[in-house]
Amino acid sequence: MDYTVASVDTALSLLSLVGECPGLGVTELAQRAGLNKSRAFRLLATLEQHRWVVREGSPVTYVLGAQALVLGVAGHEQVNLVKVAHRHLQALNRALNENIQLRVRDDLESLCVARVESTHELRVHGVVGNRRPLYVGASGRVLLAFASDDVRAQVLGRPRKRFTAGTLIERDELAAELLNVRRQDCAVSFGELAPEAVSVAVPVRDASGEVIASLSASGPSSRMTRALLPDISSRLSACAAEISAALGYQTPVPEVLSA
């Protein structure tokens, strides 16, 4: 039985859209949400009354309000993965001075749940809450490679959008890359979402050994050169191992074969 309340479902979808695409007006928000303008306006007004969104500028656009910040701070403290990973992400960011992020799988998308920015003026821009298809980028491919067979079949069986010339969309090429990711416990992407952007990602595991997140470093190809990728990958793997251990994961001890 479906217990979904349609109006609440629509309002939450609209709130998520404001969070993902701040600065849009009611007309464009209504179009993206598949609503008529009148209904979108009433829902936004209700969200504004409860401080979930605020109106800015002229013409009026919408951004998240103070209540969203309160919930975000509470979520940051309460979500164990983010809480455990926070200091490790900070330490890795200090070591590499590149963007460090933690992403999880949400259905057929990857979702950024934590991020620490590089101090370089030239960097890959992004925000917590950003979503993208699982097949795009190193982080998503780590999550896709270690997802269930059903999830991989869904992604491989659907049309895939090309974001740049570097996006992997061919089924056979993507399937082969997912096998490599599983073997190597690492994924690398070159210019798949933005030209000249490089990303390296590794898996994070929970106490059961399940891959629950991907940890990545990203930056411009002028700094994240191919020669530096092995060192970056090694640092990421060490950091992911620390986060996984803090979540209860115990690295398997290799068996010693007797003579």
Side-chain angles (χ1 to χ4, degrees), residues 2 13 31 58 84 96 100 117 130 155 179-180 193 204 224:
D2 185 4
S13 296
Q31 291 174 347
S58 179
V84 166
L96 295 176
I100 307 299
E117 293 280 343
N130 167 267
V155 173
L179 285 175
N180 287 334
L193 279 165
V204 174
M224 290 186 60

Side-chain angles (χ1 to χ4, degrees), residues 45-106:
T46 303
L47 291 170
E48 185 180 12
Q49 288 177 9
H50 292 274
R51 300 187 302 150
W52 286 105
V53 302
V54 294
R55 291 183 291 173
E56 290 186 340
S58 179
V60 171
T61 60
Y62 290 84
V63 297
L64 292 179
Q67 190 59 34
L69 178 61
V70 170
L71 186 64
V73 172
H76 184 277
E77 292 299 320
Q78 293 175 27
V79 176
N80 192 46
L81 171 63
V82 175
K83 188 174 182 180
V84 166
H86 180 72
R87 67 180 181 89
H88 298 287
L89 270 60
Q90 295 279 356
L92 185 60
N93 170 261
R94 289 192 295 270
L96 295 176
N97 197 16
E98 298 294 356
N99 292 344
I100 307 299
Q101 66 175 337
L102 198 66
R103 300 185 78 90
V104 299
R105 184 176 70 83
D106 184 13

